[in-house]
Amino acid sequence: MIDPHLAGRLDFQHRLPGAPPLPPGRNLLGLFEERDAVLLVPPQIDPRRPTPLMTLFHGGGGSATKILPMMERHALERGFLLLAPQSLFPTWDIVIAGNGPDRERLDRALTEVACRFMLDPSRMAFAGHSDGGSYTLSLGLTNGHIVTHMIVSSAGFMSVQAQAGAPRIFLSHGVNDEQIPIDRSARVHAAQLREAGYDLTYVEHDGPHAWREDMAEQAAAFFCA
């Protein structure tokens, strides 16, 4: 039997917070000397009340700073926590060689957030663009016992060795994406997800390989509905 960690299974468990909350705005979690995770805290958050959390994964060669604008305005307006972890290397471990240090770092970041804020178990999203979208597809389906919503933008692949739960999925891709053509990615993924019985919202748009504000708006509404 495969080690569940090698398959991407997280150890995260919900808990009651015992550490002080972080202040409003962008906060480094202080977990790692290099490429630390960033948590955006909207000013209206009450750390003692259940709060939705979206974890947002950057694309290849990206960073928390580059990907946060995809959902930052929506988090501030709608009042959900936004966590942006960063891959140890230029992209996520699963893209390079398989689940490893990034899965471990993600586990630590999620636990740190849960120690400072009361999280809503019914609103836990994984989201990402490009390589971050592939990471979302792969880890989200593997950890559906934790993840309730998945927001996937322009993903290239999904690698799932063990499924859990039944997260709802918002999948978007541009028909003019020359970097990751839609015919060998999103259309294949959509068919596979529907066949597997997932609750899927699938949207094609006329854009290239880039996240779009209108798709982010729809995705945020999907998460907060």
Side-chain angles (χ1 to χ4, degrees):
M1 181 176 293
I2 187 171
D3 182 336
H5 292 147
L6 295 178
R9 186 64 56 88
L10 297 167
D11 293 325
F12 171 82
Q13 294 183 353
H14 287 280
R15 68 206 68 209
L16 291 175
L22 295 171
R26 293 187 183 187
N27 296 270
L28 290 170
L29 291 187
L31 297 175
F32 313 110
E33 291 185 6
E34 297 182 8
R35 295 178 66 78
D36 196 10
V38 179
L39 181 68
L40 175 72
V41 181
Q44 66 268 41
I45 292 293
D46 182 345
R48 299 164 297 179
R49 297 178 64 86
T51 301
L53 170 67
M54 180 183 294
T55 302
L56 182 60
F57 301 109
H58 61 73
S63 65
T65 301
K66 287 183 178 179
I67 196 62
L68 275 169
M70 177 176 170
M71 283 292 172
E72 187 165 24
R73 176 176 69 84
H74 305 290
L76 293 172
E77 291 178 354
R78 295 176 180 271
F80 59 84
L81 292 164
L82 184 60
L83 173 65
Q86 302 189 83
S87 60
L88 182 60
F89 301 106
T91 193
W92 302 99
D93 51 10
I94 196 173
V95 181
I96 301 171
N99 291 291
D102 290 336
R103 185 206 61 80
E104 297 173 5
R105 288 159 60 94
L106 175 59
D107 243 337
R108 288 187 61 187
L110 289 170
T111 298
E112 180 68 16
V113 175
C115 286
R116 295 181 179 275
F117 295 89
M118 184 176 291
L119 301 181
D120 182 353
S122 70
R123 287 289 186 273
M124 292 281 290
F126 278 5
H129 171 71
S130 191
D131 278 3
S134 298
Y135 203 53
T136 296
L137 269 177
S138 302
L139 258 67
L141 298 180
T142 302
N143 293 282
H145 60 300
I146 301 168
V147 178
T148 62
H149 295 71
M150 295 163 52
I151 296 166
V152 182
S153 169
S154 305
F157 70 90
M158 59 179 170
S159 176
V160 182
Q161 301 176 60
Q163 294 169 250
R168 299 178 60 207
I169 305 166
F170 182 94
L171 177 65
S172 65
H173 207 109
V175 296
N176 295 312
D177 188 336
E178 296 183 353
Q179 184 171 333
I180 302 178
I182 193 171
D183 282 335
R184 64 173 177 83
S185 54
R187 288 173 180 168
V188 176
H189 300 152
Q192 292 173 332
L193 292 167
R194 288 194 178 109
E195 184 177 1
Y198 286 100
D199 182 346
L200 173 67
T201 300
Y202 177 56
V203 182
E204 296 185 359
H205 57 80
D206 62 0
H209 188 72
W211 70 266
R212 288 173 43 134
E213 176 56 35
D214 57 341
M215 292 296 101
E217 178 75 44
Q218 289 186 43
F222 159 85
F223 176 48
C224 296

